[in-house]
Amino acid sequence: MAAIESRDVSVKELFRDFYIVPSYQREYVWEKIQVRQLLEDIRAEQQEGSSSEYFIGSVVVCPSQTRQGADDLIDGQQRVTTLFIILCAIRDKLSSLGEDSLEGIKKSIVDVDTDQDGNDCLRAHLEPQYKDAGNVFNDLIEGQPIKKAETRSIKNISVAYSTVRQFLSDDLEDSREEIKKFFGYLIKNVKLIKIYTDSFGRALKIFETINDRGIGLNAMDLLKNLLFMSADERDFEDLKECWKSIVDDLYKINEKPLRFLRYFIFSIWGVPRLAKDELYEWLIKNDEKIGLKNNPVAFAERLKEALKAYAGFLNKKDHYGNESHILENISFLYRKHTSARQYLVLLLAGRHLSSEIFSALCRDIESFLFVCILVKEEIRTFEALFARWSLRLAKVRTAEDYRIFSKETFQSQKRKHANKFHITFKEMDDRSLPKYQFDYVLGKLTQYVDRNAYGGNSPLSYYCNSREVHLEHILPRNSDGEVFKEFGSGADDPRLISSIGNLALVEKSINMSLGNKPFSKKRCIYPESRYLLTRIIAERPNIGNTAIDRAVLHMHPFDEWNRDSIRQRAEWLADLACVVWDVPIDDYGKGLGIGE
């Protein structure tokens, strides 16, 4: 035969041969939407007339490396598997409707084959060897209910089967005649291009050509193909296990594979800009420095190691697997936005650092991210910047190295936004940020003062526990006559009520006793709080503790609460914020006496 043969085949012709899905192939990933779309497209084309044909793509096969007389399915696995599931579902539906003439469809699913000893045996036309398939195909072939989904692949296969059964009931109205007509159209008029090659290596090269620039498959799939194409067959098992671990871990953390791959590349090679559809081409062009083809197993292991650290960061753990309160703080900033993860580029680049220096990096990232959030600077605009910083971060070895790096990167960028940060913070209210970010702000301020006064290591989550810690409006949101009499005009001004200067954190039990009382009565209650930033609103603690004295030295209790009080407290909190988030403004925060 020729080295490469290609021809149009119908589904009926396709399933005259036997196919193996090799163990290194990715699992079945089609979901309900893709299966439903395929069924609807075939149905729509069928209704155009019995002579119309519907093309659904190509498949690439080569002689099986595991069983004589079968072909390894190199490309087209998802389509072929879906077609096989459709055939099984149609067989089961027709059987449930009392149809006896099922030999044709049964033969497309299972047929007689001859083994190496010349004996006849029954074989399924599709046999997946990847582990995630489990025994689900035995259930499909035998028409048995699919057992509990233990893997994502089994879940997807089960959903695909149910989707087909639902389509046959809803769209074809459980009509035996309509289902048979649909089956007839499917096996005779639905066409594919079957490309047959004489070797595995040639099949992989055709696969790569068909999917050039990510058409049909994404860069992660093409990367996998390239690794297997470059690897020695003796390394297939190791490479297969390594790749399966990567795919499984990405699924566990619900991360987009291409985002991780981009950040991995940025963190090591400092690429300034790289779109998702440019990833594979970049890998090919830069293979000399990457080493994909020379040592594919080593590259896969490097990717796996980076992903382990990456997953840990998302789970608020450092690269040693230790819980990190600073990474937890970052999660408070982006609780609702899984797309805002550009900072992971820097964490990946810094995973070689000692624990002490890595913690300093995390603190810098946290403060930098918050500054950007407050001044409305889009973090995604810093993607190229983070990539360039990664190259510099890779050279950091000592605390002094890192101090210089931090000064020339984070500090330099924050200085550009410093004045705007202070002004914006001073004018902020509880409507300026989403609630979870505003909780972070008050929690962080309160935590910082407490730590400097009392020491300890209470995490930010302690201060952001909405069940136990409440937001106190010093000027109440619902003012009565007594409040108006004390505060004067403007007691119902929402700008004053929501101002950062009018807000504090209090314990749930204390908040219940505060209610909507005027300040003259609340002054007696604030000192009962354990939070020093709240207590100082009404009185200065004087318990002879030097650390506490220093922490509250420049905090001023208020004798009365009015417009000026709110403005003054907002100004002071803005000064404090410059200290807490390490914003380098020379004129602010000098006299706070905190952290000196």
Side-chain angles (χ1 to χ4, degrees), residues 374-472:
L374 193 66
V375 302
K376 308 298 182 185
E377 183 73 54
E378 289 285 347
I379 296 298
R380 64 171 175 264
T381 64
F382 289 102
E383 202 168 73
L385 186 66
F386 288 171
R388 291 197 298 270
W389 289 2
S390 292
L391 293 178
R392 298 184 59 182
L393 194 57
K395 300 176 182 179
V396 170
R397 293 292 179 270
T398 66
E400 178 61 17
D401 291 342
Y402 183 78
R403 187 191 66 79
I404 296 171
F405 166 81
S406 177
K407 180 180 178 181
E408 295 176 351
T409 54
F410 294 111
Q411 294 297 323
S412 176
Q413 285 293 323
K414 285 192 289 186
R415 187 175 292 278
K416 294 178 183 179
H417 300 293
N419 289 328
K420 185 177 180 181
F421 176 85
H422 187 271
I423 293 170
T424 304
F425 200 99
K426 180 175 60 176
E427 297 175 351
M428 180 169 57
D429 60 37
D430 61 6
R431 299 163 298 182
S432 302
L433 296 171
K435 184 181 182 303
Y436 65 92
Q437 289 180 342
F438 196 80
D439 290 345
Y440 162 87
V441 171
L442 281 180
K444 185 79 174 177
L445 291 172
T446 307
Q447 177 198 49
Y448 190 91
V449 174
D450 281 355
R451 280 189 176 179
N452 278 273
Y454 307 125
N457 195 34
S458 296
L460 187 59
S461 55
Y462 170 81
Y463 294 89
C464 297
N465 181 352
S466 58
R467 292 183 179 180
E468 300 298 329
V469 182
H470 289 190
L471 181 63
E472 155 68 359

Side-chain angles (χ1 to χ4, degrees), residues 234-350:
R234 291 172 297 182
D235 294 328
F236 271 20
E237 190 64 28
D238 290 340
L239 189 54
K240 179 190 72 175
E241 291 300 320
C242 183
W243 195 263
K244 185 178 185 304
S245 174
I246 291 171
V247 172
D248 288 347
D249 287 348
L250 285 168
Y251 178 67
K252 287 175 185 176
I253 62 175
N254 193 29
E255 179 57 296
K256 297 177 180 178
L258 294 189
R259 177 162 56 194
F260 165 67
L261 184 57
R262 286 178 74 241
Y263 291 176
F264 173 75
I265 292 172
F266 292 170
S267 71
I268 298 175
W269 293 287
V271 182
R273 284 181 177 83
L274 194 60
K276 289 187 290 187
D277 58 359
E278 298 171 336
L279 279 168
Y280 184 66
E281 185 177 355
W282 185 88
L283 289 167
I284 294 297
K285 287 183 177 179
N286 292 273
D287 185 48
E288 187 174 338
K289 63 182 177 183
I290 297 172
L292 280 171
K293 294 179 181 178
N294 287 338
N295 199 336
V297 176
F299 179 85
E301 290 289 351
R302 191 178 187 184
L303 201 64
K304 176 182 173 181
E305 178 273 326
L307 179 57
K308 181 180 179 182
Y310 188 93
F313 301 151
L314 290 177
N315 287 318
K316 305 151 195 169
K317 295 180 179 180
D318 66 17
H319 53 310
Y320 296 109
N322 302 315
E323 296 288 341
S324 169
H325 291 325
I326 311 171
L327 290 176
E328 182 183 38
N329 294 354
I330 294 175
S331 73
F332 277 108
L333 286 173
Y334 292 112
R335 185 179 298 174
K336 304 294 182 181
H337 298 283
T338 58
S339 61
R341 292 179 173 177
Q342 291 82 357
Y343 66 91
L344 288 162
V345 174
L346 293 174
L347 293 179
L348 281 174

Side-chain angles (χ1 to χ4, degrees), residues 3 45 80 91 132 164 174 196 307 375 392 400 465 525 535 567:
E45 199 64 37
V80 174
R91 176 203 61 193
D132 280 359
V164 181
D174 276 337
Y196 190 94
L307 179 57
V375 302
R392 298 184 59 182
E400 178 61 17
N465 181 352
I525 302 174
R535 294 167 61 188
R567 179 189 58 77

Side-chain angles (χ1 to χ4, degrees), residues 54-299:
Y54 183 61
F55 175 70
I56 62 170
S58 62
V59 296
V60 179
V61 301
C62 67
S64 175
Q65 300 180 64
T66 57
R67 183 156 66 80
Q68 190 175 9
D71 295 328
D72 278 348
L73 192 55
I74 306 302
D75 189 24
Q77 169 207 349
Q78 305 297 319
R79 286 186 296 275
V80 174
T81 302
T82 303
L83 289 171
F84 190 81
I85 293 170
I86 291 172
L87 292 176
C88 292
I90 291 175
R91 176 203 61 193
D92 296 343
K93 172 57 75 172
L94 287 175
S95 178
S96 70
L97 294 173
E99 177 63 39
D100 296 325
S101 180
L102 296 172
E103 290 308 309
I105 190 169
K106 287 180 178 179
K107 200 170 184 180
S108 296
I109 299 170
V110 178
D111 203 356
V112 176
D113 190 19
T114 303
D115 64 21
Q116 290 181 324
D117 297 324
N119 299 315
D120 287 346
C121 58
L122 288 176
R123 292 195 188 279
H125 283 283
L126 184 68
E127 182 182 327
Q129 292 186 336
Y130 54 91
K131 290 182 178 180
D132 280 359
N135 295 317
V136 66
F137 272 78
N138 292 336
D139 296 336
L140 278 175
I141 292 163
E142 295 172 6
Q144 299 296 321
I146 296 175
K147 299 179 179 67
K148 182 180 179 182
E150 298 176 350
T151 68
R152 178 172 61 160
S153 188
I154 294 176
K155 177 184 176 182
N156 289 339
I157 291 169
S158 178
V159 169
Y161 178 84
S162 300
T163 300
V164 181
R165 289 294 296 258
Q166 195 68 42
F167 170 82
L168 299 176
S169 295
D170 295 346
D171 295 60
L172 303 185
E173 299 178 343
D174 276 337
S175 167
R176 184 162 53 171
E177 294 305 314
E178 286 299 318
I179 295 172
K180 289 172 67 176
K181 288 179 182 178
F182 180 79
F183 167 66
Y185 181 86
L186 171 69
I187 63 169
K188 292 184 177 181
N189 294 60
V190 175
K191 299 292 183 70
L192 306 90
I193 295 177
K194 182 178 179 180
I195 303 172
Y196 190 94
T197 71
D198 62 350
S199 69
F200 171 71
R202 198 182 301 274
L204 284 176
K205 289 179 180 178
I206 294 172
F207 167 91
E208 181 180 29
T209 301
I210 290 173
N211 293 284
D212 189 27
R213 298 183 184 276
I215 300 172
L217 295 179
N218 63 41
M220 204 72 171
D221 299 316
L222 294 172
L223 171 60
K224 173 190 173 183
N225 169 67
L226 179 63
L227 292 174
F228 275 98
M229 187 168 64
S230 305
D232 189 296
E233 289 187 22
R234 291 172 297 182
D235 294 328
F236 271 20
E237 190 64 28
D238 290 340
L239 189 54
K240 179 190 72 175
E241 291 300 320
C242 183
W243 195 263
K244 185 178 185 304
S245 174
I246 291 171
V247 172
D248 288 347
D249 287 348
L250 285 168
Y251 178 67
K252 287 175 185 176
I253 62 175
N254 193 29
E255 179 57 296
K256 297 177 180 178
L258 294 189
R259 177 162 56 194
F260 165 67
L261 184 57
R262 286 178 74 241
Y263 291 176
F264 173 75
I265 292 172
F266 292 170
S267 71
I268 298 175
W269 293 287
V271 182
R273 284 181 177 83
L274 194 60
K276 289 187 290 187
D277 58 359
E278 298 171 336
L279 279 168
Y280 184 66
E281 185 177 355
W282 185 88
L283 289 167
I284 294 297
K285 287 183 177 179
N286 292 273
D287 185 48
E288 187 174 338
K289 63 182 177 183
I290 297 172
L292 280 171
K293 294 179 181 178
N294 287 338
N295 199 336
V297 176
F299 179 85

